[in-house]
Amino acid sequence: MARKTSRRTAGAIRRLPSGRYQARIRTDDGRLHAAPKTFPTKAEADRWLAAVATDIADGRWVDPEAGKVTLARYAQHWLHCKNGLAPKTLELYEYLLSRLILPGLGEVSLASINPSRVRDWRADLLKADRPGPVTIAKAYRTLSAMMATAVVDGVISRNP
């Protein structure tokens, strides 16, 4: 009797020397991306692979490596792509980034920026004497707009 074999088109599963299983998903660019953890059984690795393949097909999957870019680096790219801004608007964005947003969050990876971290950053700004609440609100909206663009760019899965 012929041995039953299955070929996964979405990725691969392999048994590691430890006895655990590693699942790797194949993306549209042909690269294999390993799961963030290993699995005790082949069935669990297969379920993870199937779930991620569904997310990719639905356009919901975000490469975990993409979110490792720091906010400072992404902000530079974001500002560079804001073509056609009025000079005063560009000046405001540069001020908000350099004085309020990047000192507190600039070295943090985009994937690590969560709602709690944003609330803490905003609370720290409000505790200081300057700037005023209106300027802090502008910084918050600028950060939100930048993170929304990161979602559209596929760098993070949701806006914190």
Side-chain angles (χ1 to χ4, degrees), residues 129-141:
D129 287 340
R130 298 194 65 68
V134 172
T135 306
I136 293 170
K138 288 177 185 177
Y140 182 86
R141 287 191 304 268

Side-chain angles (χ1 to χ4, degrees), residues 35-77:
K37 63 178 186 171
T38 58
F39 303 93
T41 65
K42 190 173 184 180
E44 287 181 55
D46 200 34
R47 279 194 293 276
W48 179 87
L49 197 59
V52 174
T54 301
D55 287 347
I56 290 173
D58 292 344
R60 292 187 314 246
W61 186 76
V62 174
D63 180 0
E65 293 296 314
K68 289 184 179 178
V69 65
T70 64
L71 180 65
R73 187 164 176 198
Y74 188 78
Q76 185 179 24
H77 168 74

Side-chain angles (χ1 to χ4, degrees), residues 54-98:
T54 301
D55 287 347
I56 290 173
D58 292 344
R60 292 187 314 246
W61 186 76
V62 174
D63 180 0
E65 293 296 314
K68 289 184 179 178
V69 65
T70 64
L71 180 65
R73 187 164 176 198
Y74 188 78
Q76 185 179 24
H77 168 74
W78 178 79
L79 199 55
H80 174 74
C81 293
K82 296 298 246 177
N83 298 329
L85 289 177
K88 282 291 234 186
T89 304
L90 184 59
E91 186 179 310
L92 174 65
Y93 284 163
E94 288 172 346
Y95 167 79
L96 294 172
L97 285 167
S98 67

